[in-house]
Amino acid sequence: MTDQDSRLSRRHFVGATGAATLTGLAGCSGGSDGGDGGDGSDGGDGSDGGDGGDGGNTLEVLHAWTGGDGARAAEALVAAFEEEYPDIEHEFNPIGGGGNQNLDAVVANRLQNGDPPSSFANWPGPNLQRYEGVLGEVGGVWESEGFEDVMVQEAVDLHQYNGAYRGVPLGSHRLNCLFYNTSVVEEAGVDPDSLTSVSALIDALETVQSETDAIPMTHGASGTWTTTQLFASTMLGQEGYDAYMSFIDGSPDEAAVRATFESLAEILGNYINEDASSIGLTESNQNIIEGNAAFIHQGNWAAGAYRNAEDFDYDEDWGFKTYPGSEGMYMLHFDSFLYPSDNPSPDATEQFMAFVGSEAAQVAFNQYKGSIPTRTDVDMSQFGPYLQETQEDFANADQRPPNLQHGLGVPSGTMTTLNDVISSEFSGPYNVDAATEGFVDAVSN
Amino acid sequence: MTQNTDTGDDSGDALPDGGVAEDGQRSGFSPISALNERFGSDFVESSQFWLPPFLLVGLFVYGAIIWNLLISLTDFTGFGTPDYGDLDLEMYGRALADSGFIDAAINTFILLVGFTLVTLALGLGLAILIDRNIRFENTFRTIYLLPMSLSFVVTAQFWAWMFNFNNGVINIVITSLGFGRVDWIGNPDIVLWAVMFALMWQFAGYAMVVFLAGLRAIPNEHYEAAKVDGASTVRMYWRVIIPQLKGSTISASVVLMVFALKAFDFLYSLVGGYRPPNGADILATKMVREAYANLNWAYASAVAITLFLMTLGIVGPYLYYQYNRGNL
């Protein structure tokens, strides 16, 4: 073979490689579209998310209920959905880890890339601000299903953003809860029902400390969120509804914030477990179950662990008290499903939204999750006595202030700043001045 | 042979591969030979091997870095598309004014330097001990290297338990020695050192392996010559052996420093979230928090670029050093 030939064939080869590379690159950029299609439509109907117009695609729902109660509740929800809508192809994808953090990151990436899921679990309220511009509206579902008539007014208000409904609530947890181990408080001679102010709570903690070997109040502070939500309940209980509401609405009373932090510093500085900073909620809650601690403040998801513990029954072994001072109030939390615009399966998603707000879905999910339906017309007979009482409190509450740490009170950026302040100023040593200043600055408009 | 040479004389140069170069081809201009002349022989011919990965890496690594740099110059937050029309250094100014960022940068630096130095020293010590022809050498080597094979997720959980204030094994040991308990995770002045200690435990084995390879490459004559000259063991290592480990030290430190910058996994797993304990925030966790908790894409990109520059500050001199030695 001559050199000319060899050059030519090499040149061809180079050309072919170049072309192959280009094709490969094109394949990569095109591949993400294909991948979207694969995500969205398992059945291989070939149309990817781009068309958006017809509702023939698989319903894809993202949530973060991966373990324990949450996983069982999500399974019950899926089963109920299949029963109600057997014809809708669906895919429920749990994304666990770091609370909701991994779910949020996945959702953020997919919304950013123009590849939204059909629906995803998240909190309504000011939390919706971070999804500005990427949420569609489901006002039609609210109207046709009559949700406005059966949900509490706060649910109606908090699910609207820029004048349109952006999602539907599935269930509600209560935040202003104080749980206790019955035998420990009896040993200390404390009557939890008599604790109707934060100062009474602090006295009770002192009594527990002097009368028993137990931890007065167990606290899991490996994350800052437990302290932030304790701040919210303490402020509500000590400074009252109006002070709390003006705090989250952006006109905080500096003295009220300071007084709250002073009480918190007294509680956290004297009456919590020494290993608080190295444990999380699960281990902290275990102190209640094992009788090592008297009180814990948490959302009522904590009660799920009590139900799953053996020989640990409501009223006999553990009890519930509205956080001292916040009697008659129900600090709100919502688990909701939001509706992204540019929806890959608009029709199926609207049906799913209608399902989420229905009695069947709310009963199926909440009885396992340990939360309560957001509808007030639901038959509670399938729920245990504790949740039945919670539901009564919910329906009859004088006020239902939004929570601080779970999206309903402040936008997510503010929430991050509040947690930064807790992390740097109030995770021991407790710096009341700096924390007060940080909180006031963070929420002020 | 002779025949071959004869033909060569008659009809142009014989090429090693048996082909024959023609005069016309050689004297005429061709872009391929021009490229080959400029970048060395076989530049074009070999491109089929290096060009595809070059383009892919170029696009997905360097292209992404440049894009990231561009985003850090915008004010991009939330969803939508960044506005590339208005580029400025505002995000970097914001970073310098953000005490959280400064703390994270300082922590990153402390972790980087402290972790690398201590791990190198420990790895060298272990390597020298193992190199002393001890019994069960392989067993010890495996034991020391094992932590490195575990993922950060696993080791972080181990250490979270071991650092527990009440029932962590470390506090149990030090209280049984008569000292008071230490709040390893909760005390902002200590937690970074505790994290550093855990990382050091995990990577000392790696440094040991690198140093061991370096020690084994030193000829026995050097040891013997030092002994003949009457050097003590300590003196022999200090004056003769360790100076020859420069290459091992440099390559091990680069890898360790890059690992220190990636301590994100460890901190994430330690607390199960983006926010490390107070006093242990590093740029990587700060970056992810800004991006995914707050959707401050531009600000997070600025943090990312800072982190990238720190990495470049470490890897750059190393690359230059290798280039000077003719290894690149």
Side-chain angles (χ1 to χ4, degrees), chain A residues 3-4 7 11 13 25 98 101-102 108-109 111-112 130-131 134 224 274-275 277-279 416 419-420 423-424, chain B residues 20 25 32 45 48 52 56 76 78-80 164-166 183 186 268 272-275 278 292 294-295 297:
Chain A
D3 194 49
Q4 184 71 39
R7 281 268 158 108
R11 203 181 287 165
F13 198 77
L25 286 176
Q101 285 181 341
N102 287 357
N109 271 339
L111 292 174
Q112 185 62 53
R130 69 167 142 176
Y131 298 117
V134 287
T224 50
E274 291 169 312
D275 63 349
S277 58
S278 50
I279 65 172
T416 310
N419 282 288
D420 282 340
S423 175
S424 54
Chain B
V20 178
Q25 178 71 29
I32 290 176
E45 286 83 350
Q48 54 193 291
L56 290 173
F76 185 29
F79 296 102
N164 184 293
F165 186 84
N166 283 339
D183 194 355
Y268 176 86
Y274 297 152
R275 184 190 306 281
N278 184 26
Y292 291 110
N294 299 350
L295 303 180
W297 307 111

Side-chain angles (χ1 to χ4, degrees), chain A residues 69-70 72-74 76 307 363-371 383 387:
Chain A
D69 296 342
R72 202 155 51 145
R307 198 179 34 192
V363 171
F365 180 82
N366 290 309
Q367 59 174 322
Y368 294 110
K369 184 70 176 24
S371 43
F383 291 77
L387 287 177

